[in-house]
Amino acid sequence: MNRPALSHAPGPVLEGVALKATLLKRLDAAVGPLLTRLLPKMGLPDSLPSPLRFLVIRPGGIGDAVLLIPALRALQEAFPGCSIDLLAESRNAAAFQMCPGLNRVLRYDSLPQVATVLRTPYDVVIDSEQWYRLSAVLARLVRSRRSIGFCTNDRGRLFTDPVPYTLDDYELLSFFRLLAPLGVQPPRDTSAPFLKLPAGAKEGARRLLAPLEGKFFVAVFPGASIPEKQWGEDNFRQVAEGLVAAGIAVVVVGGDDARAVGERLARGGVALNLAGKGGLMESAAVLAEAGVLLSGDSGLLHIAAGLGTATVSLFGPSDAEKWAPKGERHIKFTSSLSCAPCSRYGTIRCSDGACCLDAVPSEVTAAMLRLCEKDRRP
């Protein structure tokens, strides 16, 4: 199964020579299987000291990065004083600013920074990629006596501790499977907030939200990575108008690719359009102030849930059981089509051109209002 990337305008780009995500996928398909077979299998040493230096590899999009953070924080708690380097892509690196205590965040798509990782000794390397092979090859080449990763295909032979992966688990819990060889257990409550905003993000959000003059508001993210995940501007507009009629302000969030949609949704004073304004951390801080976020399956959805903001989510091709936030403050709408979800990751392109997201705007509005009432209740 192919792995998608959840899209959002990237945060600050780190220095180095970048390889685009599409090129990384082509490299993986071209040489990943061959390298996986050629590299010798790695065996677990007879004895290992308590690990203090970790490398965690997380290519991909923002959603996966955010859902990995609870496992990173659990690793910090289990091994006090440990040093964790994170190897991420340009498109998801900014998300790790919401995970305090990391030693450094390097770039998986920067050749100089990959070279830095290969020169650095570690006690344990953890590859959190689910399917692609290049990250497993890199984990095998890192100077470490112990390596942990998912054995979804022949990539598993490159780890000292291959870990099973299932499509049935909430993805946040899937990442905790990688910590099982280290004796770290998953949390009982997966709905608890787990992200921390960096210094300065809240002040940036306050400047962006100044036109609301302190009014209670909800956030709407109308973006989507593929057409099958699009709900339609008219539907979002109906919800926004219903909320405004109920006396609730609406703020549109998103990256540069959602700016034009946000402008259309905001016409006539229906909403404040913040799409394309500020970086990812400012957007996250806006979500932290919102009463509720309305979004499809997106990185912003996971950020809102990780900050403790209530959400209403729209799912079609991707599996809500695997990706939707958990808990009573999160309401999900799933497709009524018999063929949905067609992919646990939502990346299969529909040959029939079907619109997977068929939630009724009035029902979505009602769900938003219910969560707003709970949030505003003294």
Side-chain angles (χ1 to χ4, degrees):
M1 181 183 294
N2 290 330
R3 271 276 283 98
L6 300 174
S7 65
H8 186 279
V13 177
L14 306 181
E15 61 183 10
V17 179
L19 298 174
K20 292 184 177 180
T22 52
L23 177 57
L24 287 173
K25 291 180 181 179
R26 291 173 182 171
L27 282 173
D28 188 276
V31 303
L34 176 62
L35 291 175
T36 303
R37 291 193 297 269
L38 290 178
L39 287 171
K41 180 176 174 59
M42 191 172 183
L44 185 64
D46 294 333
S47 62
L48 288 169
S50 179
L52 289 177
R53 293 181 58 85
F54 292 88
L55 172 68
V56 180
I57 303 173
R58 181 59 259 167
I62 290 174
D64 288 291
V66 171
L67 293 177
L68 175 64
I69 288 176
L72 294 177
R73 301 193 70 169
L75 194 63
Q76 292 170 330
E77 293 178 5
F79 299 95
C82 72
S83 174
I84 301 176
D85 284 354
L86 208 296
L87 189 62
E89 287 189 47
S90 299
R91 53 181 170 153
N92 69 2
F96 294 105
Q97 294 180 49
M98 294 180 285
C99 182
L102 297 178
N103 180 49
R104 57 182 175 174
V105 178
L106 300 166
R107 273 182 41 201
Y108 179 81
D109 49 0
S110 166
L111 296 180
Q113 294 190 29
V114 168
T116 296
V117 167
L118 293 176
R119 290 193 299 266
T120 305
Y122 295 97
D123 297 321
V124 179
V125 55
I126 301 174
D127 176 20
S128 66
E129 165 57 35
Q130 298 94 328
W131 301 98
Y132 293 138
R133 293 174 173 84
L134 278 184
S135 58
V137 170
L138 179 59
R140 178 64 181 83
L141 297 175
V142 167
R143 295 168 59 191
S144 174
R145 298 181 67 192
R146 191 169 190 181
S147 60
I148 305 171
F150 291 122
C151 55
T152 44
N153 47 43
D154 54 350
R155 69 195 309 277
R157 68 183 300 275
L158 300 182
F159 304 116
T160 62
D161 297 84
V163 173
Y165 179 80
T166 173
L167 291 168
D168 297 324
D169 284 346
Y170 179 35
E171 199 65 355
L172 184 153
L173 293 177
S174 291
F175 290 132
F176 270 88
R177 285 177 172 260
L178 295 170
L179 304 188
L182 302 172
V184 180
Q185 299 301 314
R188 293 184 178 182
D189 182 10
T190 60
S191 64
F194 53 82
L195 299 179
K196 184 175 181 180
L197 292 170
K202 292 183 179 180
E203 179 58 34
R206 278 193 288 269
R207 290 194 296 268
L208 292 173
L209 294 169
L212 295 183
E213 298 179 339
K215 295 178 183 177
F216 178 89
F217 72 94
V218 300
V220 172
F221 174 52
S225 57
I226 58 174
E228 288 80 3
K229 290 185 178 182
Q230 293 177 353
W231 194 37
E233 291 181 31
D234 289 342
N235 290 328
F236 281 108
R237 176 81 183 193
Q238 289 182 51
V239 173
E241 290 175 344
L243 293 167
V244 170
I248 297 174
V250 177
V251 171
V252 181
V253 295
D256 287 332
D257 54 350
R259 188 192 298 267
V261 176
E263 290 177 356
R264 291 191 291 270
L265 290 176
R267 286 173 183 168
V270 173
L272 172 65
N273 182 26
L274 297 183
K277 297 181 181 180
L280 182 62
M281 291 304 98
E282 286 77 18
S283 295
V286 168
L287 295 179
E289 296 295 323
V292 185
L293 168 68
L294 170 62
S295 172
D297 177 16
S298 68
L300 287 184
L301 173 66
H302 303 301
I303 288 176
L307 290 167
T309 299
T311 68
V312 173
S313 53
L314 308 167
F315 280 82
S318 50
D319 188 352
E321 293 305 312
K322 185 162 191 63
W323 292 103
K326 311 304 178 187
E328 61 180 14
R329 300 184 70 245
H330 303 289
I331 299 174
K332 60 181 181 290
F333 287 83
T334 57
S335 175
S336 64
L337 298 180
S338 60
C339 56
C342 57
S343 166
R344 294 295 174 93
Y345 286 100
T347 54
I348 294 178
R349 304 308 296 268
C350 182
S351 59
D352 296 330
C355 178
C356 289
L357 275 64
D358 55 5
V360 179
S362 60
E363 295 178 1
V364 173
T365 304
M368 297 278 287
L369 290 173
R370 287 198 303 273
L371 290 174
C372 286
E373 182 180 0
K374 290 181 181 180
D375 194 69
R376 301 174 78 175
R377 188 178 299 162

